[in-house]
C-alpha cells in the first residue's frame, strides 16, 4: 500500500514567487497534518484537517501561508509570496480513526527560497 | 503551556552499546499522549511508540524499550545493543487532550552509532 505522497520533493524558488506543495494522504485516513521542520525551530505543526475540514490552523505563521483539502485524497500548502525564511522541509502526515493514532509521514518537500 | 525537552542534542556510541535517550515533558492536561518518532537519514519520520498518561507500564519491543514515569514527567527511550542502522534523529512528542490533536515535538536527539 502506498504511503503518504508529497510533491515536489525539492523546490527552489526566488523570493516573491508563489509556491504550492502537494500531499496525497494514505487512502482511508481521515486526518491530515502539515508540519514544517527547520534547524532553528524544529518540527512545528502548521495546520491539520479532519475529514477535509481545517480544524486548527494556529500554527500557520502568516497570512502568506494557506492550506486546502478539496477532497479526501489531496491537500495543498501554498505560500504566496515566498520569503527566504520560509526555507525548510515541509512534511505532510496522515492518520486514521482519531488524531491520537500514529501519524504516517511523507518524505517531505525541501523548499529553498533564494 | 506544553513543552517537550530533549536535553541531549547528540549522542555517539559504539555498536553494541546500550544507549538511553531522555525526554522530559510539561503539561497541565490530565490526559495526554507521548510519542517517539525516528527520523533516519532518508528524512521520513517513522512512528515508534505511543503511550497514554494512564498507562505507566514500561514497554519493550525487540531491542527498544521505553520507561514512562509520571512522577518525574519523563518518557525515556533505551536502545539495547545498538546497531549502525539505529543512527538517526529521535523525537519525543506530546499531545494533550485540551490542545485538540496538536502534537508538540522535542528538538530531537541525533544518535550516531559507530561500527
Amino acid at each position: 500500500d502506498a504511503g503518504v505522497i508529497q510533491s515536489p520533493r525539492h523546490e527552489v524558488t526566488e523570493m516573491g514567487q508563489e509556491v504550492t506543495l502537494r500531499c496525497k494522504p494514505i487512502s482511508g485516513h481521515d486526518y491530515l497534518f502539515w508540519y514544517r521542520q527547520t534547524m532553528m525551530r524544529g518540527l512545528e505543526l502548521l495546520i491539520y484537517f479532519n475529514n477535509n475540514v481545517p480544524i486548527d490552523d494556529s500554527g500557520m505563521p502568516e497570512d502568506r501561508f494557506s492550506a486546502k483539502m478539496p477532497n479526501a485524497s489531496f491537500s495543498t500548502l501554498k505560500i504566496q509570496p515566498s520569503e527566504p525564511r520560509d526555507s525548510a522541509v515541509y512534511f505532510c502526515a496522515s492518520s486514521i480513526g482519531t488524531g491520537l493514532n500514529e501519524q504516517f509521514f511523507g518524505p517531505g518537500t525541501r523548499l529553498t527560497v533564494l | 503551556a506544553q513543552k517537550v525537552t530533549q536535553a541531549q542534542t547528540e549522542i555517539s556510541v559504539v555498536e553494541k552499546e546500550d544507549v538511553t535517550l531522555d525526554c522530559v515533558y510539561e503539561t497541565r492536561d490530565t490526559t495526554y499522549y507521548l510519542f517517539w518518532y525516528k527520523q533516519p537519514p532518508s528524512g521520513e519520520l517513522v512512528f515508534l511508540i505511543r503511550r497514554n498518561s494512564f498507562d505507566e507500564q514500561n514497554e519493550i519491543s525487540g531491542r527498544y524499550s521505553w520507561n514512562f514515569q509520571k512522577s518525574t514527567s519523563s518518557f525515556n527511550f533505551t536502545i539495547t545493543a545498538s546497531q549502525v542502522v539505529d543512527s538517526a534523529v529521535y523525537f519525543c512528542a506530546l499531545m494533550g487532550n485540551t490542545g485538540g490533536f496538536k502534537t508538540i515535538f522535542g528538538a530531537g536527539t541525533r544518535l550516531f552509532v559507530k561500527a
Side-chain angles (χ1 to χ4, degrees):
Chain A
D1 195 14
V4 175
I5 299 172
Q6 290 187 249
S7 64
R9 294 293 309 275
H10 301 273
E11 176 82 26
V12 180
T13 191
E14 292 191 348
M15 184 173 63
Q17 296 298 305
E18 176 179 296
V19 175
T20 300
L21 312 181
R22 297 173 176 78
C23 175
K24 177 179 168 55
I26 294 173
S27 177
H29 283 197
D30 49 0
Y31 280 85
L32 184 138
F33 304 80
W34 281 101
Y35 291 90
R36 178 172 68 175
Q37 185 176 34
T38 62
M39 289 294 293
M40 292 297 294
R41 301 176 66 90
L43 263 166
E44 305 172 278
L45 176 67
L46 300 177
I47 185 171
Y48 74 88
F49 295 82
N50 177 217
N51 291 323
N52 314 337
V53 176
I55 303 300
D56 185 343
D57 65 354
S58 60
M60 296 285 263
E62 298 172 32
D63 291 344
R64 298 184 296 106
F65 286 69
S66 63
K68 293 183 180 179
M69 193 164 185
N71 57 62
S73 59
F74 184 66
S75 177
T76 60
L77 178 67
K78 187 175 293 186
I79 308 172
Q80 166 63 20
S82 58
E83 296 182 3
R85 60 192 166 125
D86 301 330
S87 297
V89 180
Y90 291 83
F91 288 101
C92 175
S94 69
S95 68
I96 187 171
T98 83
L100 301 172
N101 290 334
E102 68 171 286
Q103 295 177 23
F104 293 81
F105 282 76
T109 295
R110 181 173 295 278
L111 172 65
T112 303
V113 183
L114 303 174
Chain B
Q2 298 187 105
K3 186 178 179 182
V4 176
T5 301
Q6 295 180 256
Q8 304 150 307
T9 306
E10 287 187 1
I11 300 176
S12 184
V13 299
V14 177
E15 210 170 18
K16 297 184 184 177
E17 284 185 21
D18 299 347
V19 58
T20 295
L21 310 181
D22 298 333
C23 173
V24 174
Y25 62 91
E26 295 176 28
T27 181
R28 293 181 180 176
D29 291 339
T30 53
T31 302
Y32 52 89
Y33 295 80
L34 296 163
F35 304 79
W36 276 95
Y37 284 86
K38 173 182 180 179
Q39 186 175 38
S42 59
E44 261 175 81
L45 281 93
V46 177
F47 168 85
L48 296 177
I49 189 172
R50 182 191 76 177
R51 175 65 76 225
N52 74 53
S53 52
F54 298 108
D55 182 2
E56 287 193 70
Q57 278 194 336
N58 293 329
E59 179 154 342
I60 299 174
S61 176
R63 296 184 296 106
Y64 295 171
S65 62
W66 290 269
N67 182 273
F68 176 29
Q69 293 196 345
K70 283 179 78 169
S71 60
T72 56
S73 297
S74 65
F75 186 42
N76 297 337
F77 172 32
T78 297
I79 302 174
T80 302
S82 60
Q83 300 177 1
V84 173
V85 294
D86 296 327
S87 297
V89 181
Y90 291 87
F91 292 94
C92 180
L94 166 70
M95 182 189 289
N97 67 326
T98 60
F101 297 119
K102 187 169 186 174
T103 307
I104 306 298
F105 283 81
T109 296
R110 184 177 295 276
L111 174 65
F112 294 98
V113 181
K114 296 178 285 189

